[in-house]
Amino acid sequence: MKAEEILAASKKLFFGGFALLPMLWLYNVLYVWPVRNRADLSPQVRHYMLLSGILSVVMFVVFSVWFGIFVNQRLNWGTTGDTLTVVLVKGV
Amino acid sequence: MNVVCYLASAQDTYDTIYNDIGSLPCVRLLNATGFVGCQSMGAASGVLYRADTLEDIKQFANDDRLGNQYTVVIPYWLLSSSNVDILKSSKRLAAILAVVNGTDPAHAVAARPSTVISPDTTCPNCEFGLYANTPNQYQWNPTGSGLLFEQFDFPIYALNTMDTRNTMSYASVMQAVNRNRDKGYRDYPLKSLQFHSFMWGAQDTGACLRKGWCTPVGGASVWSTPSTNISYTDEKPIVVITAAMDSRSLFHDLTLGVESSVAGMVTVLAVAEALSRSTIPLDTMSKHIVYTLFTGEAWGFSGSQRFVQDITSSPIQCETPPTSGSGCAYPFFSDLEFQRLNPAKIEAILEVGQIAGMGGAGGNPTLYAHVDNIQESVSTTLLNQVVQIGANGSTTVPPAGIPVQAASSDGVKRGLPPSSSMSFLKSRGNIPTVVLTDFQKQMSALTNHDQDDSWNTPNTINLIQQAASVISKTAWLQAQGVSDSAAMTPAQTEAIASIQVDAGLVQELLGCLSLNYSCPLVDRYLNVTASPSPPARLPHYSGTLYSQSQPFPIFAWSFLANMTSVKNTTSPTPRVTGCSSKPATVQCASKEYCVGDQCIVSLTRYHDAYGVGLAMNSKAEYYIKDASKPVWTESTWDPIGLRMFDVTSPGSQIAELMTGLALTLVSSGVVWYSRRFLKKTLKED
Amino acid sequence: MGVPGDRYSTDMEMTNRAATSPSRTGVAGEALGDEGENIRATANRPRRRPREPRRRPRLTPEQRAAYEEAERIADMKFYMLQIYKIIKPVVVCICLSILWVKISMAGSDYRPTQSSYTVYKESPNSTASQNFLGSLANAGIIIGQIVIVTIIIVVLFKRGHIKVLIGFFMVVVAMLLGFMGYILILNLIQVLRIPLDYLTMAFALWNFSVTGLISVFWKGPMWVQQMYLTVMSSLMAFSLTGLAEWTTWMLLALLVVWDLIAVLCPFGPLKILVESSRSQNQEVPALLYTVNAVWFMASPPDAILNRETLNSKESSESENLTLNNDGSPRTNFHGGHSRATGRDGGASISSSRNSGLDASFSAHGGMSRTSSTMELVPGANGETGNRDTIELRERARSGDSGNSPRSRGEGSPLAGRVARSTSGRQGPNRDPRRDSRETDDDEEHRESSDDDDDDDGGGLKLGLGDFVFYSVLVARAAMFDWVTTMCCMVAVLTGMNATIFLLAIYQKALPALPISICFGMLFYFATRFALVPFLAVLARGQVFI
Amino acid sequence: MTLTTFFGCAFTAYGPSLAIFFGSIAPNAQLVILMVSSAFFWLISVLLASAIWYMASDSRNTFPVTIIYTVLLQELFRYFLYLLINRAESGLNMVAMHPKSKFNRSYITQLVNSLGPGVIMCESCKTVSLYFISAITTSILILHHCAWMMISFTGFTNRSWLRIAWVVITHYGASYLTILNSSPTINYGCAYQIIGNVALLIASAIIVFADMRHLHQKLS
């Protein structure tokens, strides 16, 4: 696998991640990690990998925070809460 | 090789492990602001523990040698908020089994405390009553504990030896709990009980209805009139004779309410029977007589309020007529005949409240006539009439010696006790109204009580008979337009004398409607004994709307239809009989009903009864229209049940786990070591 | 699936196969397993080996005879390794399906998602004949779809519309991951009473399926792709458990027939497909679970310096790199879904290359090799075959000893340690070679240029469809009882092994369903009606046998 | 039976066999395949047994009879398996050298089925839950099967009837011992059963290790 290909791939993955695809960023990290130390690898790749890692973590944090809010607040939101919920939870 | 397989023989294994038990659950109900009743998210299970007295409960709470989770078996009368708090404080309460009736001495009737405490509030349904907005209204049920309005986050089930199945369950539970007690609750395996009591509904009626996990509490009221030609426009006034048909209690399967509702219902039915004897046909009188028996009264006067709301809002604009039958699809009405009643014309209301005489306040039984204290003047004449007739009756007709007093005879004007009349008076305050009860100051302590399941003959029967005769005569005089019995034509004197309440009928009705539904009387109308398992004691809980059959409304309908139908006196041709026994040959004409194997013409109708705060939209879904009015709904459940089984001690369970882990670790260690050993031997060789 | 070691190791074998008979060489390595040490030493600089032809003369005829002798065993071992590699994902897939079913059944109100294309709704009160005909109709409809789609695919492929096929498969995979995932999530959150909001779910599904698409059709770590393929099959299987019971059995039975026809008949579409793929030298785009790493993110030998802590097998990466690197992007088109939509990829091995023997003598293989070996050893053409087999044998031996020592009697850790230490030692004296890398690469490129389809064709490939229907069978059993489930699982796995051994014997693409499914169904009914009550009785007496 | 008991029993029953599996079988291709096929053959034998039981409707609940043909069939099929594998792997005989584990799978059902809160008490020893007894017996039986596998294969390979006889006899012994579990008369019957089985197991294990040592010496 040529360094340029890696660069191109991780670049694509990195920009693709902005389509609400943090998992793609994670994927990018998994993808580049094994070869992060290749001498002929352009430093950009490492930057992309780093950024992807950070961004994916951020995204996941954001969504888990949202989920926490939802779980705790949905009952107070009334109809909105119900429409947001996929399967209404019985008994609570 | 040891297998217990799923389908093929799972059942017998299941039976060897588990013992299913007939269950009388306490369920969750919701109103505009929250929910009441019992709920357990998971399946609660606990070792059976027996507590017969308050001391036992305290000891359970303080005994630190006890283990994890317990199902406490207590007598019903120990089930109070304070005791429950004590039990919960122990942190090891899984569920409660309340024994309402039991053969064990600790649960026998003899063991019951002398003073019963009503589980209802200190003024039942008053927040929906006539005086809801008046400051410090009179509390009719001062001893009420409000247990019905508590929230329990654990299952509470009842045990009651009311029929063979429940007696068996009771027996097995008692046997198990006694064995546990003999083992000191420490010598495992102990008997444990598991409860499934998962209620879908949560928060309040609004949210629950939105999610479709609740059904309105309610049923069918019944109204009936002898004057089949009644119309909205004929200027004839109306005399309403009314009572409630349902009551409530913690365990809906046990709800009976002899005092709370049955006696009143019996009275009205007896009145209808007595008046049907009148030699002067009722439909020819100057006023209409209308009998109303309301369901859902225990739930904020749902039945009466809805009835009043509907008749006052008539004529109804039916937007979408029904595809078949009578009534209207939207706005929904199962029947529209009620539009023939003109609320403006209601000129007198005679209501029967609690008159079983089970108040516990001893003394010689007396009937009290309550009137509204706001517009007292309008009711004065009616009140006097009732009292006077009561006085006459006590002397002339049997039963002798049950006087009828004005409730305000002691000079205190308390107004009306919680009653259906309030619904009428709320819409129009100036209707002469008298509510006849057996109490003066304070409702019976058995109000909405699970143990309100008995009466004492002949006392109760006399009371009912007296009330019935008083009401029938008053209604008759009212209908005749005669203010004073002194000024009566001979015909009228002869006619009123013909109105006699049959004590035998009263007794029979009482028996049929409380303890044995498949009695000859009911059977004559509904042929219940034909069913494979004839019902005996049926709950008087109104149930949820349109969901289950309504035995008491159905019977009331048939009985009233029969009593109010056009009798031979006016129509010489005898009734056609055999419409139900020989349906092939005998068919009733249109507009005729087949009641008790007879084709009759009658104006007797059901009327939907559910909280007036609720309404049904065009998509046949219920929603809250007015949260200030009653909006009681019952939550949907998962299948409910109890099962009993052995459990091993927590200690031994831990031991088992430890054994397992140890075994695993050791064996893996051995494997690892032996592999290394083998390798070494190979290398050495 | 996940274990990197297997990947490299098979990769290794593939590599050898790419040039010549791998199994033979592989075993040669094993046969003289005692040489393990020094072989492993050479393992780490294989590309240097051609330049040091010292070893070749060491080969005497009797030794060669020994190699021939070793081949049968070798094939056996090779297929065992293949089975070993394929069993893991299959088992995982089956277990996942069982899990889904069990969880869904735990729900108080489990309504299996009735498939839209069932004309006949089974009802308990309908008679057996009704059930039979109705289920036959349902299954027939599904099979019909499968057949049609298969034929379409074959036609497209023969016309060479690879892009269309790939696009089609992409759509299918996206649909599977998204829609089936959605259905599964619905079941799970309903049973587990999880409050989930549409935002989070859409987000999760979107991420899940897009990443899946990329990993399956584009680049990415091998194990992620394998994971996705497995999960996807389990999802498909779960969605098929929605079929009524009789329909399921009927469907499986018909599938067996169809599979036989399609793969074995002279005009069976799949046979045509395989042949045309061979003649066109064109990889069939299909969802095949390849046990071999068809593509790996390569790293130069010097990376080993920083990877001493890792698994010793990575020392063979250098080989993978050079042999696979430009085969890789294309081979990622192991795309599209197979059986779920009707594309029917039986367990197929491009046979002409798989057995060492007929590879080395088949014209194609021979040509390719000679052409490739020209650069390696300027020598008499007659000899080349043997020569470079020998060389490659050594190379393979080295690689092999690097890879799968565990398959031999003595355990791996020791070997691993040695290998690691050697690789460590190799580290420094590698560095100069990085300059000469280009030339090496060129050689390797030319060598591998015409072996591309080899490293796809090489190694065992199991159509995901087989995954799916194995899982369907076991999941259906799981709806009944645990004993039945286990029995069916064993039956299916055994059937699969049998199929693969048959592959070893017949050296041609074989349908993977018939044996397994027949065993499975047989065991299902036998267990359900005889074994289960039997065991129940034994259970009551707590008697063990 | 609570979750604790569930895991307790699960570990007890399957811990050892899992240890053997992951320890010595999973890493090895041949062994995995051998395990699957041995399980397959074992299932066939049990299936046949159940079929016989199905037909012999009169002696369904007399366990001694059932055990006779069940065990016999198992041993028979073990021999068939040996023949097959011997044929398949003519040349390299690594067969006798490796242990083959087999999961006594069927206990799973009881385990899962009993995930509910209730337990049955063992009839012969009232204090212990039947599940736990079964778990212990299961694990012992699994180990038994491994040992028998190895012993019998060694026996088959070098024609030592002693070993084969030992396998058959101990198999019968183990099975008949388990009848004690349900005996209402003998007190602590399950204890005797477990002790007896463990004794047998130890004996077999000694034989196995002896064989292995011998084998290795021979190899070297």
Side-chain angles (χ1 to χ4, degrees), chain B residues 1-3 5-7 9 683, chain C residues 414 532 535-536 539 543-545:
Chain B
M1 196 159 47
N2 196 336
V3 168
C5 101
Y6 238 45
L7 298 180
S9 78
K683 279 275 158 282
Chain C
L414 202 62
V532 164
L535 296 180
V543 173
F544 287 63
I545 53 172

Side-chain angles (χ1 to χ4, degrees), chain B residues 42 132 140 144 197 231 236 286 296 341 373 392 479 511 541 544 611-612 642 649 672:
Chain B
W140 287 98
S197 167
S231 81
K236 287 168 80 173
S286 61
L341 306 176
N373 61 355
N392 300 351
Y541 165 61
T544 52
V612 282
L642 277 71
S649 73
W672 180 75

Side-chain angles (χ1 to χ4, degrees), chain D residues 25-127:
Chain D
I25 298 192
N28 184 320
Q30 292 112 350
L31 287 192
V32 171
I33 294 157
L34 285 183
M35 198 198 87
V36 173
S37 39
S38 69
F40 181 73
F41 268 75
W42 178 72
L43 274 179
I44 293 181
S45 68
V46 178
L47 274 179
L48 279 181
S50 64
I52 297 175
W53 170 86
Y54 200 75
M55 290 170 229
S57 48
D58 49 355
S59 71
R60 275 192 183 181
N61 290 323
T62 54
F63 295 120
V65 184
T66 322
I67 288 180
I68 290 176
Y69 55 76
T70 319
V71 173
L72 202 64
L73 276 167
Q74 289 185 58
E75 295 306 330
L76 223 64
F77 272 87
R78 185 169 290 153
Y79 182 61
F80 294 157
L81 174 67
Y82 166 78
L83 288 183
L84 179 96
I85 288 176
N86 225 18
R87 167 100 15 102
E89 301 183 335
S90 56
L92 42 147
N93 66 340
M94 22 66 87
V95 188
M97 194 162 105
H98 294 297
K100 273 166 293 314
S101 155
K102 159 171 0 104
F103 291 96
N104 201 337
R105 284 184 176 72
S106 322
Y107 176 66
I108 289 182
T109 304
Q110 184 189 22
L111 212 52
V112 174
N113 217 17
S114 59
L115 200 41
V119 296
I120 326 172
M121 283 302 149
C122 184
E123 282 173 53
S124 52
C125 18
K126 297 272 180 285
T127 54

Side-chain angles (χ1 to χ4, degrees), chain B residues 569-651:
Chain B
T569 50
T570 48
S571 60
T573 56
R575 295 173 172 176
V576 184
T577 62
C579 53
S580 67
S581 57
K582 320 187 278 290
T585 56
V586 184
Q587 271 96 16
C588 295
S590 62
K591 293 210 170 50
E592 278 192 335
Y593 298 94
C594 183
V595 175
D597 208 17
Q598 289 179 325
C599 292
I600 59 171
V601 179
S602 161
L603 180 53
T604 308
R605 293 289 185 274
Y606 295 112
H607 196 90
D608 300 331
Y610 58 98
V612 282
L614 296 171
M616 186 194 261
N617 65 14
S618 51
K619 296 193 297 297
E621 298 158 342
Y622 294 98
Y623 64 96
I624 292 190
K625 206 172 73 186
D626 179 355
S628 69
K629 302 223 174 84
V631 292
W632 282 104
T633 51
E634 181 180 317
S635 161
T636 317
W637 331 318
D638 277 350
I640 268 194
L642 277 71
R643 50 183 195 175
M644 192 157 60
F645 47 81
D646 285 323
V647 289
T648 50
S649 73

Side-chain angles (χ1 to χ4, degrees), chain B residues 1-9 12 41-42 198 200 638 675 679 682-683, chain C residues 102 108 193 410-411 414 480-481 483 532 535-536 538-540 542-545:
Chain B
M1 196 159 47
N2 196 336
V3 168
V4 181
C5 101
Y6 238 45
L7 298 180
S9 78
D12 56 6
M41 290 302 285
F198 177 56
W200 295 16
D638 277 350
R675 285 187 60 208
K679 232 174 280 126
L682 281 184
K683 279 275 158 282
Chain C
K102 284 291 177 189
S108 56
R193 291 216 213 109
E410 73 272 14
L414 202 62
F480 177 66
D481 170 30
V483 185
V532 164
L535 296 180
L538 287 183
R540 235 168 292 141
Q542 301 158 46
V543 173
F544 287 63
I545 53 172

